Amino acid sequence: MAVTIKSQREIELMRESCRLLAIVHKEMEESIRPGMSTLEIDTLGDTLIRKLGCIPNFKNYNGYPASVCVSVNDEVVHGIPSKHRILQEGDIVSLDAGLIYKGYHSDAARTHAVGNISEEARLLIERTRESFFAGIKMAKAGNHLYDISNAIDAYIKPFGYGIVRDLVGHGIGTSLHEDPQVPNFAQRRRGLKLQAGMTLAIEPMINMGRADVEWLDDDWTVVTEDGSWSAHYENTILITEGEPEILTMY
């Protein structure tokens, strides 16, 4: 496993890549309303990324046809935007996007309410977000990678939700996906020791029902097997000697 330690120059480039992505996410969030298509969200995200002088890193990545993954309700991740998929009042929608700035990648995801949503859906979104923060309390130099995984699992378990096991977080830098993989569920081993200068994309994907997922025929869209709704929350973070730095927050 080759985990890259970023130099100070690389960290500054990562910071800027992530700062710009946070701007894109904020503008996409503010655009969400019932009646808009998922393709409109993708078009907005793509336009914003390019206007900032960056490249959307999801576009054509392993053949993915869009710049923003737009996943609605029981879609966990990698939903393909469509002019025919119209957001309805009460839906939840997960937006996963990233960009490349001067050769350095950023990656972040958020799940948003479409209009007024049920209390059950609101809690799913909130707890998925909070599980990320529970995990990164352990994300500091000297701790081990799976301390993050175990903390996310321990936070989620009491709610009875399913933690997706087929998809995990990852290292990030000059490639979108680098070593190491970062599971969101408890591990028996401790994993590698965290070092200052590592940059990781931590991204819990939490289902209201069981953890099991399946891929649709488009080979991209991942849905819950039981039809329960799913939420996703992700930030790119920097490991430091002290508290982790969340690079994609706005």
Side-chain angles (χ1 to χ4, degrees):
M1 185 185 293
V3 179
T4 60
I5 306 297
K6 309 302 188 294
S7 67
Q8 198 54 48
R9 175 186 161 275
E10 289 180 301
I11 288 168
E12 289 307 320
L13 290 168
M14 290 286 294
R15 278 199 184 106
E16 185 61 8
S17 179
C18 291
R19 185 187 74 82
L20 295 171
L21 179 59
I23 292 169
V24 174
H25 263 288
K26 187 66 174 170
E27 293 214 23
M28 290 194 297
E29 177 186 3
E30 290 171 353
S31 79
I32 292 170
R33 66 187 189 283
M36 79 185 303
S37 73
T38 57
L39 182 61
E40 286 178 79
I41 299 172
D42 175 61
T43 302
L44 173 62
D46 183 271
T47 301
L48 289 168
I49 290 168
R50 296 181 194 280
K51 196 179 285 183
L52 292 167
C54 301
I55 299 165
N57 52 9
F58 289 9
K59 188 74 179 265
N60 300 318
Y61 182 79
N62 291 338
Y64 184 75
S67 296
V68 183
C69 298
V70 187
S71 308
V72 182
N73 298 340
D74 67 329
E75 296 170 352
V76 181
V77 284
H78 305 159
I80 297 176
S82 167
K83 66 180 180 183
H84 303 295
R85 188 69 189 272
I86 307 299
L87 298 180
Q88 308 290 332
E89 180 88 18
D91 285 344
I92 63 173
V93 59
S94 299
L95 307 182
D96 189 0
L99 56 79
I100 307 168
Y101 169 80
K102 296 188 177 179
Y104 284 81
H105 290 255
S106 50
D107 190 4
R110 307 278 187 267
T111 301
H112 303 292
V114 182
N116 294 308
I117 61 173
S118 69
E119 178 67 3
E120 193 178 32
R122 186 191 70 77
L123 285 172
L124 176 70
I125 294 172
E126 179 185 291
R127 289 164 174 170
T128 299
R129 182 180 185 277
E130 287 305 311
S131 74
F132 164 86
F133 287 100
I136 68 160
K137 284 177 183 173
M138 308 305 294
K140 53 186 73 174
N143 283 354
H144 289 257
L145 182 68
Y146 297 152
D147 294 339
I148 300 171
S149 310
N150 294 343
I152 293 170
D153 190 292
Y155 177 84
I156 287 294
K157 190 162 278 178
F159 302 117
Y161 296 147
I163 302 173
V164 174
R165 303 174 77 90
D166 295 58
L167 300 141
V168 296
H170 50 92
I172 185 170
T174 53
S175 298
L176 176 56
H177 293 105
E178 297 183 353
D179 287 334
Q181 292 195 342
V182 189
N184 300 302
F185 47 93
Q187 304 291 305
R188 290 172 186 261
R189 297 176 181 169
R190 299 194 71 190
L192 60 82
K193 186 172 279 194
L194 298 173
Q195 297 178 54
M198 290 180 175
T199 44
L200 306 173
I202 311 292
E203 53 176 323
M205 290 156 269
I206 309 298
N207 300 342
M208 210 179 276
R210 295 196 317 273
D212 309 288
V213 298
E214 57 189 8
W215 273 253
L216 297 185
D217 290 342
D218 62 20
D219 293 331
W220 278 106
T221 309
V222 180
V223 299
T224 60
E225 206 173 81
D226 61 7
S228 64
W229 285 14
S230 185
H232 184 196
Y233 188 82
E234 175 186 23
N235 282 303
T236 299
I237 71 163
L238 169 68
I239 304 294
T240 73
E241 294 295 349
E243 295 301 312
E245 185 178 340
I246 305 173
L247 301 177
T248 45
M249 287 292 280
Y250 44 73

